[in-house]
Amino acid sequence: MNWFTAFLGSSIGKKLLMALTGLGFCFFLFIHLIGNLTLYGGKNFFLSYVEHLHALGPVIIIAECGLLLFAVIHVTTGALLFIENWRARPVGYVMKKNAGGRTLGSATMPYTGFLILTFITIHLLNVHFVDLSQQTIFQVLQNIFAFFPYVVFYTLAVIIVAIHVSHGFWSLFQTLGANHPKYMPFIHGLGICFSLIIALGFGFIPAYIRFIV
Amino acid sequence: MTTKTINLTLKVWRQNRGEKKGKLKTYFAKNISGDMSFLEMIDVVNEDLTKNREEPIAFDHDCREGICGMCGAVINGRAHGHEKETTLCQLHMRHFSDGDTIVIEPWRSRAFPIIKDLIVDRSALDRIIQSGGYISVNTGGAPDANAIPIAREVAETAFNAAACIGCGACVAACPNASAMLFVSAKISHLALLPQGRIEAAKRAKAMVRQMDQLGFGNCSNETECEAECPKGISIINIARLNREFLKAELC
Ligand code: SF4
Ligand code: FES
């Protein structure tokens, strides 16, 4: 093993991989949300945004490849950490209580992560790998959100993403070594705001498309 | 003046030396004074057990002043009990009520095998220290105490980290059984001071490598360690450890 694999294979190295790819996903979520907010501007506004986005051509392909690579790293490292951490305590406690450090987000990271992976797969099949020769992407959205169980599924998925981010956001700064009493409260607050914005921004899309458009 | 006493039901983890399995056994602690420490309460129970020719409950302890780091058990699901910044030997029975049932379990981690009952083998922490938790100095006459100027804030921060007594509660409380808080306290205490700075990079790499090899879990920033640490060691030290390790590896 050379120093690079030894470094990334160490416990802190793996933490770092999770943090950097996680940061990448936060950027992606942010851009994706800004893009999707055009939906609230009506059908034509949204379609013109989609057209502009696709006009970027190779940039989009590079970004997609980057996201795929990030996803592979985040998921495999996360799975490895989950197994290692599970093995680190072979006999559990009969009684264990939280001391106040754990949050809903932090306690459920591997599980919300797995659910998000499932959601992303279905989401991509529904809106990315679809034939757009006979229909616009807006019609695709109208069709999938017309099916009520899908709306429920989508809303739950968005909430789960927000829960995952509520821990992931501040946690990535801590991993990168950025924790100081001066600015950590701000990062904590920013993380909570970011998750709420994600939950609300994405979460109202089905309702908007079903009832308002 | 008579002090108020309480009666308790204890469910204590009993595991014989050399055995892989153990179980909770129920005992009764009668007429316990609120001024007793948790360990003194077990002493009382052990006296009864001994009188009845039963094996007393084995538990670790030494100073009973909250400074040595020998004591510790998980009390009703909380490392060192529910009182903040308190070691088990400093946890007083006045914090419990008459009729309470108390579950007492040892630290649980793959890196801390159980020796007997509540005693676990914490030599893994010693091995981490041996790998780099020291400074190398030439022997000789003691240097002048104030020869190297150190800013008071820096000295305070280093001292706060040095307050770690190596009890292992952070590992016990961590959902991942990670030793990062302990390692970060040692790394911080030395890296902040000029004497420790010289070997900081080598130390960070060696201690993290040793920690990884000993079977501790990986930190996922759950912050349960900070909440349970009897010495109030902050996870800010873990951020510093992450920085030190990154610097050591990348610079
Ligand atoms: S960091 Fe705190 S909990 Fe962990 S070993 Fe040191 S004193 Fe004990
Ligand atoms: S016995 Fe020394 S700290 Fe508790």
Side-chain angles (χ1 to χ4, degrees):
Chain A
M1 253 206 307
N2 61 22
W3 77 267
F4 191 68
T5 46
F7 164 51
L8 290 182
S10 69
S11 55
I12 299 183
K14 279 178 277 191
K15 246 167 102 85
L16 193 70
L17 284 178
M18 294 307 275
L20 291 177
T21 49
L23 182 63
F25 292 132
C26 285
F27 271 123
F28 167 72
L29 270 177
F30 187 63
I31 308 277
H32 189 28
L33 179 66
I34 292 183
N36 279 13
L37 288 181
T38 57
L39 268 169
Y40 297 107
K43 180 178 161 187
N44 293 335
F45 191 43
F46 175 65
L47 286 176
S48 91
Y49 150 70
V50 172
E51 209 175 296
H52 278 98
L53 185 69
H54 288 177
L56 293 174
V59 179
I60 294 294
I61 296 180
I62 294 169
E64 283 178 350
C65 291
L67 277 173
L68 183 65
L69 178 71
F70 271 34
V72 170
I73 294 173
H74 200 79
V75 171
T76 48
T77 313
L80 191 65
L81 288 170
F82 178 69
I83 295 167
E84 284 179 359
N85 291 348
W86 178 67
R87 287 186 57 212
R89 181 167 290 135
V91 182
Y93 292 103
V94 177
M95 188 191 251
K96 187 77 182 78
K97 283 190 199 141
N98 289 345
R102 264 191 142 182
T103 59
L104 174 66
S106 76
T108 55
M109 284 310 259
Y111 316 109
T112 48
F114 178 74
L115 292 173
I116 293 168
L117 180 66
T118 316
F119 164 70
I120 291 174
T121 314
I122 297 172
H123 186 60
L124 285 177
L125 289 175
N126 281 332
V127 300
H128 191 75
F129 300 109
V130 281
D131 179 15
L132 292 176
S133 54
Q134 310 292 329
Q135 54 184 350
T136 66
I137 187 70
F138 193 81
Q139 283 164 328
V140 171
L141 293 181
Q142 275 180 318
N143 288 340
I144 56 174
F145 287 134
F147 183 51
F148 188 69
Y150 189 84
V151 174
V152 175
F153 167 73
Y154 179 87
T155 313
L156 284 178
V158 166
I159 294 171
I160 286 169
V161 170
I163 293 174
H164 197 78
V165 173
S166 72
H167 176 67
F169 190 84
W170 85 265
S171 182
L172 79 90
F173 286 91
Q174 161 80 4
T175 297
L176 294 172
N179 182 348
H180 194 281
K182 259 191 275 186
Y183 54 74
M184 204 26 144
F186 172 73
I187 294 179
H188 263 289
L190 194 65
I192 299 296
C193 291
F194 187 49
S195 351
L196 282 176
I197 290 170
I198 286 170
L200 298 173
F202 285 108
F204 278 106
I205 291 175
Y208 182 76
I209 291 187
R210 276 171 72 98
F211 303 115
I212 302 177
V213 178
Chain B
M1 194 182 87
T2 53
T3 38
K4 197 175 152 260
T5 63
I6 53 173
N7 296 317
L8 302 159
T9 307
L10 308 182
K11 290 186 189 293
V12 188
W13 189 262
R14 301 303 308 258
Q15 182 166 337
N16 283 333
R17 200 178 275 274
E19 276 180 17
K20 291 254 173 299
K21 286 203 166 120
K23 61 171 187 302
L24 286 179
K25 269 190 87 176
T26 306
Y27 301 96
F28 297 100
K30 292 193 198 88
N31 298 324
I32 299 298
S33 152
D35 296 335
M36 280 181 190
S37 74
F38 203 91
L39 300 188
E40 282 164 343
M41 183 273 292
I42 303 182
D43 288 337
V44 171
V45 174
N46 274 347
E47 263 172 42
D48 280 347
L49 288 176
T50 313
K51 271 186 223 147
N52 296 334
R53 295 181 185 281
E54 275 183 68
E55 188 71 11
I57 301 159
F59 63 95
D60 249 338
H61 62 104
D62 189 6
C63 70
R64 299 204 176 198
E65 289 181 333
I67 55 172
C68 75
M70 276 308 282
C71 66
V74 172
I75 311 303
N76 282 341
R78 300 282 307 271
H80 288 297
H82 60 282
E83 283 293 302
K84 229 181 146 39
E85 293 188 23
T86 308
T87 55
L88 194 57
C89 58
Q90 291 293 299
L91 176 67
H92 285 90
M93 296 315 293
R94 66 183 79 99
H95 298 296
F96 295 88
S97 312
D98 191 33
D100 276 359
T101 298
I102 307 177
V103 179
I104 311 172
E105 292 178 81
W107 290 167
R108 296 209 183 270
S109 155
R110 181 158 60 124
F112 292 166
I114 293 181
I115 296 175
K116 188 182 179 189
D117 298 341
L118 304 174
I119 301 181
V120 297
D121 177 0
R122 282 170 298 176
S123 57
L125 298 184
D126 299 334
R127 263 171 278 154
I128 296 176
I129 295 290
Q130 282 159 7
S131 71
Y134 51 79
I135 59 165
S136 310
V137 282
N138 292 329
T139 51
D144 177 19
N146 292 318
I148 306 169
I150 300 165
R152 196 189 70 87
E153 300 76 32
V154 177
E156 286 289 332
T157 316
F159 191 78
N160 285 346
C164 164
I165 52 176
C167 63
C170 43
V171 178
C174 174
N176 310 320
S178 160
M180 282 284 273
L181 193 66
F182 166 78
V183 176
S184 76
K186 303 302 168 194
I187 289 275
S188 292
H189 136 224
L190 294 170
L192 282 163
L193 299 172
Q195 296 93 328
R197 200 59 245 165
I198 302 155
E199 291 162 294
K202 196 173 119 207
R203 176 184 308 118
K205 283 201 254 184
M207 288 179 82
V208 169
R209 195 172 309 128
Q210 181 66 280
M211 170 184 78
D212 288 352
Q213 281 168 2
L214 289 166
F216 291 103
N218 305 281
C219 170
S220 62
N221 302 330
E222 295 263 21
T223 74
E224 283 289 304
C225 54
E226 176 185 78
E228 291 292 44
C229 173
K231 296 294 146 186
I233 305 290
S234 158
I235 59 154
I236 286 181
N237 292 298
I238 298 184
R240 187 179 293 105
L241 165 60
N242 294 340
R243 286 202 298 274
E244 288 292 333
F245 184 73
L246 285 183
K247 249 193 281 177
E249 288 284 357
L250 300 177
C251 302

